[in-house]
Amino acid sequence: MSREGAGEMLRIDRLLVYLRFARTRSAADALIARAAVRRNRRHVLRGAECARCGDVLTVMVGAEVRVIELLTLPARRGSPAEARSHYRALDVFHEIAGAGLDPNGQNTIGGAPVPSRAPGDPEDFS
C-alpha cells in the first residue's frame, strides 16, 4: 500500500496551518500548548514534532473535535477544498457503534427496564 509522499514529514504546527485548522503558526502553537492536538493518540508537545502520511490527528477546534487521517502532505496552504483533499475525516462514533456512546460521544445512561403494568395496577405517582 504505497501512498504519495510516504517517507516525507512535515512539522505539525505548519501542517495545522496548511490544513486550515489554524490561521497562523502561532495560533497552531497555541492549540498545541492547550493540549488540543494529538498525533496517533499521543499529545503533541511541540510544534516541531513531525507528521507523516497515515498518521491520525485529533484536533480540538473550539467546541468541535476533529479526527482525521493524513492521506498526503500538503506543500502549501490552499483553498479549503484543497486542504480537505489531503486528509480523510474519521467518524469514530460509527466505528465503535454499540460501545455505549451516543452520537455526541458521551456515555449513554440507560434507565432500568420498566416492568409492564397490568391495567388495574396502582400508579406510583399521584
Side-chain angles (χ1 to χ4, degrees):
M1 178 164 124
S2 136
R3 290 196 175 158
E4 183 179 323
E8 296 178 10
M9 297 185 293
L10 184 65
R11 288 174 56 114
I12 287 190
D13 57 356
R14 188 170 294 207
L15 179 68
L16 292 173
V17 173
Y18 289 175
L19 295 180
R20 304 181 79 79
F21 289 110
R23 295 188 97 174
T24 62
R25 279 181 57 189
S26 60
D29 286 332
L31 277 173
I32 292 167
R34 287 195 321 256
V37 181
R38 290 181 181 209
R39 182 177 59 90
N40 298 331
R41 295 187 171 188
R42 294 191 178 180
H43 282 287
V44 175
L45 302 176
R46 302 179 331 245
E49 289 185 30
C50 291
R52 295 181 176 159
C53 294
D55 284 352
V56 175
L57 297 180
T58 306
V59 183
M60 184 171 172
V61 181
E64 183 181 14
V65 177
R66 304 281 309 270
V67 181
I68 63 166
E69 178 186 7
L70 293 174
L71 301 176
T72 59
L73 295 178
R76 62 181 182 86
R77 180 179 170 100
S79 68
E82 183 182 343
R84 283 190 300 270
S85 71
H86 293 286
Y87 64 85
R88 176 175 67 103
L90 300 177
D91 192 1
V92 293
F93 304 116
H94 286 92
E95 290 177 7
I96 55 174
L101 297 178
D102 68 3
N104 294 328
Q106 299 173 346
N107 289 330
T108 56
I109 301 174
V114 178
S116 60
R117 292 184 295 161
D121 288 346
E123 294 185 25
D124 291 335
F125 303 103
S126 52

